[in-house]
Amino acid sequence: MNLIEVKNLYKSFGALDVLQDVNLSVEEGERIAIIGGSGCGKSVFLRSLELLEIPDRGQIFIDGEEITAKRADVNKIRRKMGMVYQKFYLFSHLNVLENLCLAPVKLLGMSKAEAEEHALTWLHRVGLAAKVHAMPANLSGGQQQRIAICRSLMMNPKVLLFDEPTSALDPTMVGEVLAMIRMLAKQNMTMLIVTHEMNFAREVASRVLFFADKGIYEQGTPSEIFDSPQKELTVAFIRKLKYFSYNITNRNFDLLEMQGGIRLFTEKYGISSKLAYRLELCSEELVYEMLSGCYAQGQIDVDIMLEISYSEADSSIILSLTSGGREFNPFNAEHDDDDDNVHLGVAMLKKIAKEISYNFSAGVNKIQITL
């Protein structure tokens, strides 16, 4: 039996559809990382599992019990899940020990002595036993978040839900919270983690869900999602691709306009001036090679599309060009030995490119150059 089962889940806010027909099964011991752009519904989905957001329709089963059923004991079912938020939400008027003991005493009927013993066990595990009597205001953000995780664990949940647990932290404190989650992962705690920490998701998760288009757009193992994503939006998100395109429909196109667009693109994304110059030069040479090779000399109407994609993840740049006209591979073309300057651009491209590919299909020349 699955620990969590979500069937045909829909959620909207007024006219804004956030989740549409979402389905998910989570087995005990799975560690699921949920990634995606801002506003794609990640947090709404997580909050829906506890009915902190009420779905418009659909069913949610937690450990075999339907929390969305009309007569469901929602509070009882919720106890099977621990929720850790972006903000820590510790009770400011209670010290660490009191924060940890309040819920198990009130809701689970645990004795005060038993709760305090349980709390001290967790505090020792996470290296915060010395803070047992500290007030939240005297703790760092990382310490407060670790206490918030301990508070969830005090209820002996079957699954932990993390809603971007490090997003409110100073970068210097992120590591200590992630280390605690790694510890729980090694103990086979079932977890769903909404996160922007891609390296962490790759390391800890057994499965990754990429949210887009109002639901789970693509899912797979960390290797499948981070190394070999199959769908367009996943590829763009994982590689953090930025795009520039320029369409040439007339032989007498505005070269300065194209070069100016490339320059603005490189400045916007902090591409080095050296690489920007190479990009402009390669684009110019490649376009003119295709104009001369694919189209008759007097032909004015042409169809050339220049595209540049830049990956923030690894700073790689791919220059792509498609052209109509006759089949022409500028990198294999026979050159006129009497005119050494005509194909100087090809020689330059071969020298500075990391990789070059060419193919001709359905009447279209396709060139891709990695710089």
Side-chain angles (χ1 to χ4, degrees):
M1 182 176 65
N2 292 312
L3 189 54
I4 297 177
E5 188 80 30
V6 179
K7 298 181 179 180
N8 311 115
L9 186 70
Y10 287 77
K11 177 60 183 176
S12 61
F13 296 94
L16 177 63
D17 294 325
V18 179
L19 300 173
Q20 288 188 344
D21 198 21
V22 178
N23 294 274
L24 178 67
S25 297
V26 179
E27 296 181 2
E28 188 172 355
E30 276 200 282
R31 302 171 305 281
I32 296 180
I34 302 175
I35 64 174
S38 299
C40 67
K42 307 183 300 295
S43 294
V44 172
F45 173 73
L46 207 67
R47 290 171 61 83
S48 295
L49 297 180
E50 285 204 313
L51 297 194
L52 298 176
E53 300 289 354
I54 307 299
D56 299 330
R57 61 182 186 274
Q59 294 176 289
I60 300 172
F61 296 86
I62 307 297
D63 196 26
E65 296 185 83
E66 185 184 354
I67 194 171
T68 47
K70 289 184 178 179
R71 294 181 176 83
D73 188 339
V74 173
N75 289 329
K76 179 182 177 182
I77 298 173
R78 277 178 178 159
R79 292 173 195 167
K80 297 181 179 183
M81 296 178 282
M83 186 81 165
V84 180
Y85 304 90
Q86 297 177 27
K87 296 183 179 180
F88 325 121
Y89 296 121
L90 298 179
F91 294 111
S92 60
H93 64 291
L94 301 179
N95 66 27
V96 167
L97 185 64
E98 291 166 338
N99 263 282
L100 296 184
C101 294
L102 182 62
V105 169
K106 293 286 187 181
L107 300 177
L108 298 183
M110 195 179 292
S111 69
K112 182 180 179 182
E114 184 183 4
E116 289 182 351
E117 182 181 357
H118 194 30
L120 286 170
T121 297
W122 275 115
L123 290 174
H124 276 289
R125 284 189 188 180
V126 301
L128 291 175
K131 303 294 184 180
V132 63
H133 297 301
M135 302 302 290
N138 297 322
L139 301 175
S140 70
Q143 290 171 338
Q144 290 189 62
Q145 189 64 296
R146 283 188 283 164
I147 296 299
I149 296 172
C150 286
R151 182 175 58 183
S152 292
L153 292 166
M154 288 289 294
M155 297 295 288
N156 299 318
K158 292 199 169 187
V159 58
L160 280 180
L161 309 177
F162 292 90
D163 187 8
E164 298 187 33
T166 62
S167 64
L169 298 177
D170 183 281
T172 59
M173 302 175 187
V174 170
E176 62 192 72
V177 173
L178 296 184
M180 183 174 179
I181 299 175
R182 287 190 191 95
M183 178 193 73
L184 295 173
K186 291 178 180 178
Q187 297 173 1
N188 292 320
M189 169 65 72
T190 308
M191 298 185 286
L192 277 74
I193 310 167
V194 172
T195 182
H196 289 292
E197 303 284 345
M198 298 298 105
N199 290 333
F200 171 73
R202 177 194 285 270
E203 175 190 352
V204 169
S206 55
R207 184 163 33 136
V208 178
L209 312 181
F210 173 62
F211 266 59
D213 281 354
K214 303 171 185 177
I216 302 171
Y217 181 79
E218 186 172 355
Q219 62 177 300
T221 64
S223 178
E224 289 170 339
I225 295 300
F226 291 112
D227 297 330
S228 305
Q230 299 299 305
K231 295 188 176 182
E232 181 180 359
L233 294 180
T234 317
V235 171
F237 179 82
I238 295 301
R239 298 178 183 172
K240 296 183 179 179
L241 296 180
K242 308 299 181 182
Y243 294 98
F244 169 83
S245 64
Y246 191 84
N247 191 22
I248 299 171
T249 58
N250 190 294
R251 178 182 289 274
N252 301 314
F253 73 103
D254 191 338
L255 174 63
L256 292 180
E257 181 183 61
M258 183 184 81
Q259 299 290 52
I262 294 173
R263 174 60 60 177
L264 287 174
F265 174 78
T266 58
E267 289 177 352
K268 180 178 180 181
Y269 296 111
I271 298 172
S272 70
S273 57
K274 180 179 179 181
L275 194 52
Y277 174 72
R278 285 186 172 185
L279 195 55
E280 291 180 51
L281 203 57
C282 286
S283 299
E284 178 181 347
E285 295 295 338
L286 190 57
V287 167
Y288 280 117
E289 284 289 336
M290 301 309 285
L291 283 174
S292 63
C294 296
Y295 301 95
Q297 188 172 2
Q299 185 175 348
I300 299 299
D301 294 332
V302 299
D303 184 14
I304 296 177
M305 175 62 77
L306 178 77
E307 295 179 296
I308 299 169
S309 61
Y310 169 63
S311 171
E312 291 183 336
D314 59 9
S315 299
S316 64
I317 291 181
I318 295 177
L319 175 63
S320 303
L321 184 142
T322 59
S323 175
R326 61 177 174 265
E327 181 177 358
F328 175 70
N329 181 355
F331 304 103
N332 287 339
E334 294 183 2
H335 299 162
D336 185 349
D337 293 334
D338 296 330
D339 191 351
D340 294 334
N341 293 323
V342 170
H343 299 286
L344 184 61
V346 171
M348 181 193 67
L349 285 169
K350 286 183 176 180
K351 184 177 181 180
I352 67 176
K354 294 179 181 177
E355 186 177 344
I356 297 175
S357 66
Y358 168 86
N359 69 74
F360 181 79
S361 177
V364 177
N365 295 276
K366 297 181 180 179
I367 296 172
Q368 183 169 292
I369 300 175
T370 303
L371 298 178

